[in-house]
Amino acid sequence: MVSSKGRGYVYLLHPTPELWTLAVPHRTQILYLPDISFISAKLNFTPGKVVVESGTGSGSFSHSIARSITGNGGHLYTFEYHEQRVNILRDEIKLHNLSDTVTLAHRDVCKDGFGLENTADSVFLDLPAPWEAIQHAVKALKKDIVGKICTFSPCIEQVQKTALELNKNGFFDIETFEVLVRYNKSSNLVLPDIQSAIEGKKATFSSNKVTLDSTCVRIYL
Protein backbone atom coordinates (compact mmCIF):
# COMPACT_ATOMS: atom_id res chain seq x y z
CA MET A 1 0.00 0.00 0.00
CA VAL A 2 1.80 3.12 -1.28
CA SER A 3 1.55 6.35 0.71
CA SER A 4 -0.58 9.15 -0.67
CA LYS A 5 2.53 11.27 -1.33
CA GLY A 6 4.45 8.38 -2.89
CA ARG A 7 7.28 8.58 -0.37
CA GLY A 8 6.90 5.14 1.13
CA TYR A 9 4.68 2.10 1.54
CA VAL A 10 3.43 -0.44 4.07
CA TYR A 11 2.53 -4.13 3.80
CA LEU A 12 -0.97 -5.13 4.86
CA LEU A 13 -0.86 -8.60 6.42
CA HIS A 14 -3.83 -10.86 7.01
CA PRO A 15 -4.29 -11.10 10.81
CA THR A 16 -3.31 -14.46 12.30
CA PRO A 17 -2.80 -15.72 15.87
CA GLU A 18 0.94 -15.73 15.18
CA LEU A 19 0.92 -12.02 14.32
CA TRP A 20 -1.28 -11.27 17.32
CA THR A 21 1.20 -13.04 19.61
CA LEU A 22 3.92 -10.72 18.30
CA ALA A 23 1.78 -7.59 18.54
CA VAL A 24 -0.46 -8.18 21.58
CA PRO A 25 -0.16 -5.60 24.39
CA HIS A 26 1.59 -7.46 27.21
CA ARG A 27 -0.69 -7.20 30.20
CA THR A 28 0.94 -10.40 31.48
CA GLN A 29 3.68 -12.78 30.43
CA ILE A 30 2.44 -14.60 27.34
CA LEU A 31 2.94 -17.92 25.61
CA TYR A 32 4.98 -17.83 22.41
CA LEU A 33 4.84 -20.03 19.33
CA PRO A 34 7.15 -22.87 20.48
CA ASP A 35 5.00 -23.45 23.59
CA ILE A 36 1.72 -22.82 21.76
CA SER A 37 2.42 -25.33 19.00
CA PHE A 38 3.64 -28.01 21.43
CA ILE A 39 0.66 -27.67 23.77
CA SER A 40 -1.80 -27.58 20.87
CA ALA A 41 -0.39 -30.84 19.54
CA LYS A 42 -0.40 -32.55 22.94
CA LEU A 43 -4.00 -31.53 23.67
CA ASN A 44 -5.03 -32.47 20.13
CA PHE A 45 -6.83 -29.24 19.25
CA THR A 46 -8.98 -29.87 16.18
CA PRO A 47 -12.23 -28.36 14.83
CA GLY A 48 -15.15 -29.30 17.06
CA LYS A 49 -13.21 -29.66 20.32
CA VAL A 50 -14.39 -27.93 23.49
CA VAL A 51 -11.55 -26.44 25.53
CA VAL A 52 -11.39 -24.81 28.95
CA GLU A 53 -8.57 -22.32 29.59
CA SER A 54 -7.51 -20.38 32.70
CA GLY A 55 -5.99 -17.80 33.03
CA THR A 56 -6.45 -15.98 29.85
CA GLY A 57 -3.83 -13.31 30.58
CA SER A 58 -3.18 -11.24 27.46
CA GLY A 59 -5.05 -13.68 25.21
CA SER A 60 -2.11 -14.85 23.13
CA PHE A 61 -2.87 -18.57 23.44
CA SER A 62 -6.64 -18.00 23.35
CA HIS A 63 -6.41 -16.81 19.74
CA SER A 64 -4.50 -19.91 18.64
CA ILE A 65 -6.93 -22.22 20.44
CA ALA A 66 -9.91 -20.49 18.85
CA ARG A 67 -8.49 -20.91 15.35
CA SER A 68 -7.70 -24.60 15.93
CA ILE A 69 -11.13 -25.60 17.25
CA THR A 70 -13.42 -23.40 15.13
CA GLY A 71 -16.09 -25.39 13.29
CA ASN A 72 -18.25 -28.40 14.13
CA GLY A 73 -19.37 -26.82 17.39
CA GLY A 74 -15.89 -26.16 18.75
CA HIS A 75 -15.76 -23.70 21.62
CA LEU A 76 -13.31 -22.14 24.06
CA TYR A 77 -14.34 -21.27 27.61
CA THR A 78 -11.61 -19.05 29.01
CA PHE A 79 -11.40 -17.63 32.53
CA GLU A 80 -9.41 -14.72 33.98
CA TYR A 81 -9.49 -13.54 37.60
CA HIS A 82 -8.27 -9.98 36.85
CA GLU A 83 -11.35 -7.88 36.02
CA GLN A 84 -9.52 -5.11 34.14
CA ARG A 85 -7.89 -7.63 31.81
CA VAL A 86 -11.26 -9.26 31.20
CA ASN A 87 -12.80 -5.97 30.09
CA ILE A 88 -9.97 -5.34 27.62
CA LEU A 89 -10.10 -8.92 26.34
CA ARG A 90 -13.85 -8.73 25.70
CA ASP A 91 -13.28 -5.81 23.35
CA GLU A 92 -10.45 -7.64 21.57
CA ILE A 93 -12.48 -10.82 21.15
CA LYS A 94 -15.34 -8.84 19.63
CA LEU A 95 -12.98 -6.85 17.40
CA HIS A 96 -11.35 -10.05 16.12
CA ASN A 97 -14.71 -11.72 15.36
CA LEU A 98 -14.21 -14.51 17.90
CA SER A 99 -17.39 -14.00 19.92
CA ASP A 100 -19.08 -17.09 18.44
CA THR A 101 -16.14 -19.32 19.37
CA VAL A 102 -14.89 -17.83 22.65
CA THR A 103 -16.73 -17.35 25.94
CA LEU A 104 -14.76 -15.17 28.36
CA ALA A 105 -15.60 -14.98 32.06
CA HIS A 106 -14.25 -13.09 35.07
CA ARG A 107 -13.72 -15.81 37.66
CA ASP A 108 -11.28 -17.17 40.24
CA VAL A 109 -11.40 -20.81 39.19
CA CYS A 110 -9.21 -21.99 42.06
CA LYS A 111 -11.88 -20.94 44.55
CA ASP A 112 -15.08 -21.00 42.51
CA GLY A 113 -14.41 -23.64 39.86
CA PHE A 114 -15.37 -23.32 36.19
CA GLY A 115 -19.12 -23.62 36.54
CA LEU A 116 -19.01 -26.37 33.91
CA GLU A 117 -19.65 -30.10 34.19
CA ASN A 118 -19.06 -32.88 31.68
CA THR A 119 -18.30 -30.28 28.99
CA ALA A 120 -14.66 -30.10 27.91
CA ASP A 121 -12.40 -32.34 25.85
CA SER A 122 -9.33 -30.75 27.43
CA VAL A 123 -8.30 -28.20 30.04
CA PHE A 124 -5.33 -25.82 29.99
CA LEU A 125 -4.18 -24.09 33.17
CA ASP A 126 -1.70 -21.20 33.21
CA LEU A 127 -2.02 -20.26 36.87
CA PRO A 128 0.34 -19.52 39.78
CA ALA A 129 -1.14 -22.48 41.70
CA PRO A 130 -2.67 -24.83 39.10
CA TRP A 131 -3.00 -27.67 41.61
CA GLU A 132 -5.81 -25.73 43.30
CA ALA A 133 -7.91 -25.97 40.13
CA ILE A 134 -7.37 -29.67 39.37
CA GLN A 135 -10.47 -30.91 41.22
CA HIS A 136 -12.59 -28.37 39.33
CA ALA A 137 -11.04 -29.46 36.03
CA VAL A 138 -12.15 -33.03 36.73
CA LYS A 139 -15.77 -31.84 36.88
CA ALA A 140 -15.42 -29.83 33.67
CA LEU A 141 -13.99 -32.69 31.60
CA LYS A 142 -16.29 -35.01 29.66
CA LYS A 143 -16.85 -38.36 31.33
CA ASP A 144 -17.31 -40.48 28.19
CA ILE A 145 -13.82 -39.82 26.76
CA VAL A 146 -10.23 -39.77 27.97
CA GLY A 147 -9.90 -36.09 28.77
CA LYS A 148 -6.58 -34.25 28.75
CA ILE A 149 -5.22 -31.57 31.02
CA CYS A 150 -2.10 -29.43 30.61
CA THR A 151 -0.58 -27.01 33.10
CA PHE A 152 2.10 -24.45 32.29
CA SER A 153 4.50 -23.53 35.10
CA PRO A 154 7.92 -21.85 35.23
CA CYS A 155 9.14 -23.57 38.43
CA ILE A 156 9.70 -27.29 39.09
CA GLU A 157 8.19 -26.93 42.56
CA GLN A 158 4.90 -25.94 40.94
CA VAL A 159 5.14 -28.93 38.62
CA GLN A 160 5.72 -31.30 41.55
CA LYS A 161 2.67 -30.05 43.47
CA THR A 162 0.53 -30.26 40.35
CA ALA A 163 1.66 -33.81 39.56
CA LEU A 164 0.79 -34.97 43.08
CA GLU A 165 -2.67 -33.41 42.80
CA LEU A 166 -3.21 -34.98 39.37
CA ASN A 167 -2.43 -38.38 40.87
CA LYS A 168 -4.89 -37.82 43.70
CA ASN A 169 -7.63 -36.98 41.22
CA GLY A 170 -7.20 -40.08 39.07
CA PHE A 171 -5.12 -38.77 36.20
CA PHE A 172 -2.56 -41.10 34.62
CA ASP A 173 0.19 -40.99 31.97
CA ILE A 174 1.47 -37.79 33.58
CA GLU A 175 4.41 -36.29 31.67
CA THR A 176 6.62 -33.23 32.16
CA PHE A 177 8.25 -31.40 29.27
CA GLU A 178 10.58 -28.44 28.95
CA VAL A 179 10.31 -26.59 25.66
CA LEU A 180 13.57 -24.99 24.56
CA VAL A 181 14.40 -23.17 21.35
CA ARG A 182 17.78 -23.74 19.74
CA TYR A 183 18.88 -21.78 16.71
CA ASN A 184 21.12 -23.53 14.15
CA LYS A 185 23.61 -21.64 12.04
CA SER A 186 24.34 -22.80 8.48
CA SER A 187 27.95 -23.25 7.39
CA ASN A 188 29.94 -24.98 4.65
CA LEU A 189 31.60 -28.31 5.39
CA VAL A 190 34.34 -29.45 3.03
CA LEU A 191 35.14 -33.17 2.93
CA PRO A 192 37.63 -35.15 0.83
CA ASP A 193 36.27 -37.34 -1.94
CA ILE A 194 36.30 -41.13 -1.54
CA GLN A 195 39.64 -41.69 -3.26
CA SER A 196 41.37 -39.03 -1.15
CA ALA A 197 39.92 -40.56 1.99
CA ILE A 198 41.21 -43.99 0.97
CA GLU A 199 44.68 -42.55 0.39
CA GLY A 200 44.59 -40.96 3.82
CA LYS A 201 44.81 -37.40 2.63
CA LYS A 202 43.46 -34.79 5.05
CA ALA A 203 42.07 -31.34 4.48
CA THR A 204 44.13 -28.45 5.85
CA PHE A 205 42.22 -25.60 7.44
CA SER A 206 43.22 -21.94 7.49
CA SER A 207 41.34 -18.97 8.90
CA ASN A 208 39.42 -18.30 5.71
CA LYS A 209 39.73 -21.35 3.42
CA VAL A 210 40.15 -25.10 3.23
CA THR A 211 42.67 -26.72 0.88
CA LEU A 212 43.21 -30.33 -0.12
CA ASP A 213 45.71 -32.04 -2.38
CA SER A 214 42.87 -33.74 -4.26
CA THR A 215 39.32 -33.00 -5.39
CA CYS A 216 36.88 -32.05 -2.63
CA VAL A 217 33.18 -32.65 -2.26
CA ARG A 218 31.37 -29.61 -0.90
CA ILE A 219 28.36 -30.38 1.25
CA TYR A 220 25.88 -27.73 2.36
CA LEU A 221 24.19 -28.35 5.72
Side-chain angles (χ1 to χ4, degrees):
M1 184 175 180
V2 181
S3 70
S4 58
K5 295 182 179 180
R7 295 180 179 177
Y9 58 89
V10 295
Y11 287 106
L12 296 180
L13 302 177
H14 180 74
T16 64
E18 289 79 12
L19 286 175
W20 184 243
T21 292
L22 295 176
V24 60
H26 285 208
R27 299 175 285 272
T28 61
Q29 288 289 339
I30 68 170
L31 269 70
Y32 289 95
L33 299 183
D35 300 309
I36 289 173
S37 59
F38 185 78
I39 295 168
S40 298
K42 280 294 182 180
L43 292 182
N44 192 29
F45 291 155
T46 55
K49 292 296 179 69
V50 178
V51 180
V52 170
E53 176 195 28
S54 185
T56 316
S58 298
S60 168
F61 193 25
S62 305
H63 282 69
S64 291
I65 297 174
R67 179 184 60 183
S68 299
I69 65 176
T70 296
N72 301 326
H75 202 82
L76 169 64
Y77 296 91
T78 184
F79 300 86
E80 171 61 44
Y81 78 96
H82 194 285
E83 187 173 7
Q84 185 177 2
R85 293 176 199 153
V86 171
N87 294 332
I88 297 172
L89 283 162
R90 280 204 179 101
D91 293 338
E92 291 174 347
I93 288 171
K94 183 178 180 180
L95 180 65
H96 299 166
N97 296 320
L98 296 176
S99 299
D100 293 338
T101 305
V102 179
T103 297
L104 172 65
H106 173 225
R107 196 181 187 97
D108 185 346
V109 299
C110 293
K111 293 181 179 180
D112 304 322
F114 299 101
L116 301 170
E117 289 192 24
N118 195 26
T119 302
D121 296 285
S122 58
V123 174
F124 174 72
L125 302 176
D126 185 4
L127 302 170
W131 55 90
E132 295 180 358
I134 298 298
Q135 59 179 330
H136 304 303
V138 174
K139 295 179 181 179
L141 286 167
K142 293 177 180 177
K143 303 301 183 288
D144 58 343
I145 64 169
V146 178
K148 295 184 177 182
I149 184 170
C150 173
T151 68
F152 186 84
S153 299
C155 301
I156 192 62
E157 292 81 6
Q158 293 168 300
V159 175
Q160 290 171 327
K161 288 184 178 181
T162 303
L164 290 172
E165 194 64 25
L166 287 169
N167 268 317
K168 290 179 183 178
N169 284 273
F171 288 93
F172 56 92
D173 288 343
I174 300 171
E175 299 175 301
T176 302
F177 298 92
E178 183 178 17
V179 180
L180 300 174
V181 178
R182 184 177 66 179
Y183 295 95
N184 294 317
K185 183 179 180 181
S186 301
S187 61
N188 293 336
L189 176 64
V190 181
L191 299 174
D193 60 17
I194 295 176
Q195 186 60 40
S196 299
I198 293 174
E199 296 174 358
K201 296 180 179 179
K202 297 181 179 179
T204 57
F205 292 83
S206 63
S207 59
N208 57 0
K209 64 180 181 179
V210 180
T211 59
L212 187 67
D213 295 337
S214 183
T215 305
C216 289
V217 179
R218 186 176 294 274
I219 299 176
Y220 296 93
L221 300 177

